[in-house]
Amino acid sequence: DPTFEPPTDVAGVFSYYVVISFPGDGGCSDITSDIADIIVVEAIDPTEINNLQDICEGGTPEELIVTNTTGAGIISYQWFSNDVNSNEDGDIIDGAINDTYTPPGPFNTPGTFYYYVEISDDAAGCSIVASEVYTINVVPDPEVIINPEGPLAYCQGAEANLLIATANGGIGTDYEYKWYLTTDPVNPVETGPEFEPPTDVVGVFSYYVEITQPASGCSNVSIPVEVTITLGPSITLQPVGDAVCIDGVTPPLTV
């Protein structure tokens, strides 16, 4: 026949040509057409990267990425947000038409946020395909308390009690601790969950601890603990020695 519909049930590159014959008595020889290549590609089958993220309040999520879209022709993308865990009936995100999308941060409200992308192309037989759902979980910041909570008072040079920080919440149990003077919130005076306040200088000092976690936005600070260092006791009038005969009377020793 002068027409032929190539099959498309198997992916690959297939080349076709037609030979036209003239069976009459005119002596015309066969003629052969040019070769026509038909490229049959796999259906769009996206792979989602960074499709499950946990961050804290104030955190910024990582870039959402879709790959291995295959398809044929010109590939198009459209990202959606959703209130439920579904890749249907979401809200179009204006301008989000690439194979990557970074939700604008920071995320200041705890909750779960959903996204997906629809991928389409302009080749025959290719339909719009939605990715799996990208989920971003936003949890409250971790909390930290110091024990003892103070206020504390020591004499100069005395041995102070350890201040012990206890953290909980956030994402996981990996915490980093940094202790600061409230008057110098830039340079930490100690790291780790425990800190012994120095007592060599007289004055009133307030200390707090900052905790951070690897996940984005996961940090917090404790309530400061006030530590007062006072002068230690000292003798301002020393006893005065004397020489006296047996049974003699000497002035009393006085401090």
Side-chain angles (χ1 to χ4, degrees):
D1 291 328
T3 61
F4 170 66
E5 183 176 342
T8 59
D9 56 334
V10 177
V13 179
F14 304 91
S15 300
Y16 300 93
Y17 64 94
V18 61
V19 176
I20 304 172
S21 301
F22 303 88
D25 296 330
C28 294
S29 59
D30 293 350
I31 57 175
T32 303
S33 72
D34 292 338
I35 294 175
D37 289 334
I38 302 297
I39 302 173
V40 181
V41 299
E42 297 285 352
I44 293 174
D45 184 19
T47 297
E48 298 79 19
I49 299 176
N50 293 335
N51 61 322
L52 179 59
Q53 300 183 46
D54 295 323
I55 63 176
C56 289
E57 290 177 78
T60 300
E62 295 182 19
E63 186 178 52
L64 310 181
I65 304 172
V66 64
T67 63
N68 296 337
T69 54
T70 315
I74 300 175
I75 306 296
S76 300
Y77 304 89
Q78 179 60 64
W79 289 86
F80 296 79
S81 62
N82 214 340
D83 296 328
V84 295
N85 187 4
S86 173
N87 60 358
E88 296 180 350
D89 301 324
D91 297 321
I92 289 179
I93 303 174
D94 292 336
I97 55 174
N98 298 313
D99 57 356
T100 63
Y101 172 68
T102 302
F107 280 51
N108 294 317
T109 304
T112 304
F113 302 85
Y114 304 102
Y115 300 88
Y116 66 94
V117 59
E118 286 186 350
I119 307 156
S120 60
D121 54 30
D122 60 356
C126 297
S127 59
I128 296 176
V129 175
S131 71
E132 297 296 327
V133 175
Y134 296 75
T135 302
I136 299 175
N137 296 310
V138 183
V139 304
D141 286 326
E143 297 180 348
V144 59
I145 59 173
I146 298 177
N147 185 47
E149 61 184 15
L152 306 174
Y154 301 99
C155 287
Q156 187 178 19
E159 182 178 349
N161 295 326
L162 283 175
L163 300 180
I164 301 175
T166 302
N168 63 83
I171 297 172
T173 57
D174 185 8
Y175 302 97
E176 179 179 300
Y177 302 81
K178 290 183 179 180
W179 295 83
Y180 294 91
L181 269 169
T182 55
T183 54
D184 184 6
V186 176
N187 302 301
V189 295
E190 184 63 275
T191 58
E194 297 180 351
F195 169 58
E196 182 179 348
T199 60
D200 55 329
V201 177
V202 173
V204 179
F205 308 92
S206 291
Y207 300 95
Y208 68 92
V209 63
E210 177 186 59
I211 57 169
T212 56
Q213 293 183 293
S216 178
C218 294
S219 64
N220 212 338
V221 296
S222 69
I223 296 175
V225 173
E226 183 180 282
V227 179
T228 301
I229 309 299
T230 59
L231 282 171
S234 60
I235 297 175
T236 57
L237 178 63
Q238 298 287 353
V240 177
D242 194 10
V244 62
C245 292
I246 293 176
D247 295 331
V249 178
T250 183
L253 300 175
T254 301
V255 294

